[in-house]
Amino acid sequence: MNRIKFIIVAVLLGTSVAASAQYSQLGPKNEFMLKVEAGYAPFIGNYVYDNNGEPGYYGYYLSKFHHNANLNVIAGVNISQDWFVGGGLGFNYFHNLDQKLADPYMGFQAFADFDFRPIWQSIMGQDYQPTSIKWAPMVGGRLGGSIMMGSSETYGTTFTPMLEVYAGANWYYWYALNGMRNMERNWHSFYATVGVAYMQQTFFLPIRIGWRW
């Protein structure tokens, strides 16, 4: 009986040591990260969610096919390498260079951001977090508010909900350039996304490139 107990304890200790060694090789599960991105969002169409799609007395907020150039800074937590959850601030420039009657407007946005990068792989039925991945797909979404500094004679300062869904790809440049060295930076990436966004009574097609580190 004592021999069986000894074997069980030895197995449990061995399993614990192996798990600890594997965890130390993988690095921390959670990591604070920043994302900086620039994008351009062509105009898709106007819609007012609370007025059956009809414009108000002065028309739509962006009634002359305004496009949107934007910069975003996002801070958050990378969770188990696959997930990112954070909050961001952005600057928007609504404009239409082809329409002379389209006055440009500046705007700002604040939002919660999440993305999922499925980088788990499996060998012989066992899941693990790879240390040699270079590319990963990416899906995500955003929810927040958008404010536009409009004409004081018509709308004044406008505030609307901001919604977005997007998909894209990550390139884990650190591993691609440095291999197995400095493994703690392997999850830093450049990425590109395309999605659909709604703000200021308008749907846009945001196309972005970004840096995660």
Side-chain angles (χ1 to χ4, degrees):
M1 189 68 177
N2 290 333
R3 180 177 296 179
I4 295 176
K5 290 182 179 179
F6 175 78
I7 294 174
I8 293 174
V9 171
V11 171
L12 291 176
L13 288 174
T15 303
S16 176
V17 170
S20 298
Q22 183 182 24
Y23 180 81
S24 65
Q25 291 174 359
L26 292 175
K29 293 286 186 178
N30 304 330
E31 180 183 3
F32 175 81
M33 301 197 82
L34 290 172
K35 297 197 295 186
V36 177
E37 56 187 31
Y40 194 80
F43 172 91
I44 295 179
N46 294 118
Y47 182 76
V48 182
Y49 65 92
D50 59 356
N51 195 27
N52 296 319
E54 298 296 326
Y57 180 79
Y58 292 102
Y60 294 109
Y61 289 168
L62 297 170
S63 59
K64 295 181 172 61
F65 305 97
H66 287 75
H67 307 302
N68 176 23
N70 61 84
L71 292 171
N72 295 320
V73 178
I74 306 159
V77 179
N78 208 50
I79 303 173
S80 296
Q81 310 297 353
D82 298 78
W83 294 90
F84 174 87
V85 179
L89 297 173
F91 169 78
N92 296 314
Y93 180 69
F94 302 100
H95 66 285
N96 187 339
L97 299 177
D98 295 329
Q99 173 59 268
K100 295 182 179 180
L101 297 179
D103 294 330
Y105 301 106
M106 292 188 300
F108 303 92
Q109 60 190 24
F111 54 90
D113 173 63
F114 79 93
D115 66 55
F116 174 59
R117 305 176 312 283
I119 57 179
W120 286 76
Q121 296 185 3
S122 178
I123 292 180
M124 299 179 65
Q126 298 296 321
D127 288 331
Y128 79 109
Q129 290 174 314
T131 58
S132 60
I133 194 162
K134 296 180 182 179
W135 292 91
M138 172 180 176
V139 294
R142 292 174 179 173
L143 173 64
S146 168
I147 190 169
M148 182 179 71
M149 313 308 291
S151 170
S152 60
E153 297 178 357
T154 53
Y155 298 111
T157 300
T158 64
F159 179 83
T160 69
M162 175 260 185
L163 304 169
E164 182 178 338
V165 292
Y166 58 86
N170 283 262
W171 178 50
Y172 294 98
Y173 62 89
W174 194 264
Y175 181 83
L177 299 177
N178 296 279
M180 300 293 289
R181 292 175 294 172
N182 296 324
M183 295 299 295
E184 70 275 8
R185 299 187 181 183
N186 268 9
W187 308 107
H188 298 196
S189 66
F190 294 114
Y191 61 88
T193 64
V194 60
V196 176
Y198 175 82
M199 70 180 82
Q200 301 300 330
Q201 303 178 343
T202 306
F203 284 99
F204 295 96
L205 184 71
I207 302 169
R208 296 194 178 97
I209 55 174
W211 179 28
R212 180 200 310 271
W213 84 97

